[in-house]
Amino acid sequence: MGVKIVQTAHAVPTKIMTNYDLSQIMDTSDEWIRSRTGISQRHIATTETTSSLCGQVAEQLLQQAQLPATALDFIVVCTMSPDYFTPATAAVVQGMIGATNAFAFDLNAACSGFVYGLSVVQHYFQTNKETYGLLIGGEVLSRLINWQDRSTAVLFGDGAAGVLLKNSHTPHLLASDLATFGDRGGQLTAGYRGGASQMVNSINQIMPYFQMDGRGIYSFATRGVPASIERALQQANLVADQVDHFILHQANTRIVAQVAKRLQQPLSKFPQNMAAYGNTSAASIPLLLDECVRAGQIEPGDVLVLSGFGGGLTVGTQIMIY
């Protein structure tokens, strides 16, 4: 038995913050941001939370499939910005939609989260029993941003997106490549909580905001992502020319262009939506996937490469037939 995507959906906060808006609160400009990142705007949560956005995605997926929540066997939420340490965001969503038969847990692999999640959940479909599950990436990264630091504040946005999965007699996930480089984890951090309780150490060791080595991450992504994709293609006995669409994590338009160049593929195979959403971490890949499906760019039978990279440091690739 394999696994296939039945439905896709996404949800974003209503508030939009443009590059011009950012230029009113920090030393930056629309031209400076767009020329370096390709980002023009991002959605920022006001009343929305990670769980509320993920809940909206879950409800959309069930409504589109005309499936009751009680038919779900599991819910997995990929996030690095949960509402709580506990309960898990997935558990909150499970209660929100009434999926009483589903077990639920969160997965944190930062911007690679959705790809890692696909690799994890496919093992639950090795049964002849009809099985359904939700895999959702959701983030409210605006809580982790220092709005005085233009090197990070201009990059990130909030949102959620996901898929309804079902087991299938035809294999759809063809190959997977996951890699973690924990020795380089300090190049991208957020939410540091310190090593001791305040009862033991009165010094405040909480550092909630993003800290990033931009050059280091760029170098990692432009080399690590093509290498991961090539390893996955080899597993699937495919070459890059046979891929219809490369759905990459939407962090920086320059990174996407470099990956296309290293793979010797036309940029037209690499759809992008970072201009409208910024970097939404674990929500990035499923958000782009949903937009491409809704626009008719992706059709059943297309060969897709999904590839993410980010904090950990992590990189991950899934090759699938949509």
Side-chain angles (χ1 to χ4, degrees):
M1 296 294 287
V3 56
K4 68 176 181 179
I5 294 174
V6 180
Q7 299 290 340
T8 63
H10 78 271
V12 292
T14 56
K15 178 179 175 59
I16 293 174
M17 181 173 285
T18 67
N19 292 346
Y20 174 78
D21 294 332
L22 287 177
S23 72
Q24 303 305 296
I25 61 173
M26 65 181 69
D27 181 19
T28 191
S29 68
D30 177 61
E31 190 280 332
W32 189 92
I33 299 169
R34 282 191 297 106
S35 64
R36 287 163 175 78
T37 68
I39 298 168
S40 298
Q41 64 177 44
R42 68 286 297 149
H43 292 254
I44 301 295
T46 52
T47 60
E48 300 93 349
T49 64
T50 302
S51 59
S52 72
L53 290 168
C54 291
Q56 290 179 46
V57 170
E59 289 170 350
Q60 287 181 48
L61 292 169
L62 293 172
Q63 184 176 15
Q64 289 165 196
Q66 296 185 329
L67 190 73
T70 52
L72 294 174
D73 295 279
F74 68 82
I75 300 170
V76 176
V77 170
C78 310
T79 184
M80 59 170 287
S81 56
D83 297 350
Y84 308 96
F85 290 153
T86 192
T89 304
V92 176
V93 172
Q94 189 250 27
M96 186 183 302
I97 65 175
T100 52
N101 296 317
F103 64 88
F105 64 90
D106 287 358
L107 184 155
N108 181 359
C111 306
S112 304
F114 186 78
V115 175
Y116 274 55
L118 276 174
S119 183
V120 169
V121 302
Q122 67 176 310
H123 299 290
Y124 292 107
F125 292 94
Q126 306 302 313
T127 172
N128 289 319
K129 172 183 173 290
E130 188 174 63
T131 304
Y132 290 95
L134 299 183
L135 178 64
I136 301 171
E139 307 283 11
V140 176
L141 300 175
S142 55
R143 290 184 303 216
L144 304 177
I145 290 172
N146 177 356
W147 292 99
Q148 304 305 312
D149 177 13
R150 75 171 184 173
S151 68
T152 56
V154 303
L155 301 176
F156 298 100
D158 302 334
V163 295
L164 171 65
L165 300 166
K166 181 185 178 182
N167 51 356
S168 166
H169 290 282
T170 303
H172 286 258
L173 296 181
L174 305 182
S176 173
D177 177 79
L178 308 179
T180 301
F181 306 87
D183 58 326
R184 300 179 63 179
Q187 291 182 336
L188 177 57
T189 63
Y192 180 69
R193 305 294 297 180
S197 70
Q198 290 187 355
M199 182 179 292
V200 176
N201 188 345
S202 61
I203 299 174
N204 186 353
Q205 294 182 314
I206 296 175
M207 293 185 290
Y209 303 129
F210 277 106
Q211 304 286 329
M212 184 174 70
D213 173 3
R215 290 184 179 180
I217 296 298
Y218 180 87
S219 176
F220 168 74
T222 54
R223 289 170 171 78
V225 172
S228 177
I229 291 172
E230 287 170 348
R231 290 192 297 267
L233 286 170
Q234 188 174 18
Q235 288 179 39
N237 293 316
L238 296 172
V239 295
D241 289 346
Q242 294 173 282
V243 176
D244 295 298
H245 309 282
F246 294 83
I247 309 298
L248 302 191
H249 168 51
Q250 300 291 285
N252 186 304
T253 190
R254 291 179 174 180
I255 292 175
V256 175
Q258 281 298 311
V259 173
K261 182 179 179 180
R262 288 178 181 267
L263 293 173
Q264 299 181 337
Q265 293 297 299
L267 196 56
S268 58
K269 283 189 173 184
F270 294 75
Q272 300 180 50
N273 67 357
M274 69 196 72
Y277 301 104
N279 180 343
T280 56
S281 189
S284 170
I285 289 174
L287 202 165
L288 179 60
L289 177 66
D290 180 50
E291 289 202 326
C292 289
V293 169
R294 290 174 185 271
Q297 292 176 255
I298 292 176
E299 299 178 343
D302 284 354
V303 177
L304 309 182
V305 165
L306 311 184
S307 192
F309 55 91
L313 298 176
T314 60
V315 64
T317 299
Q318 290 280 354
I319 299 179
M320 63 181 299
I321 298 175
Y322 185 74

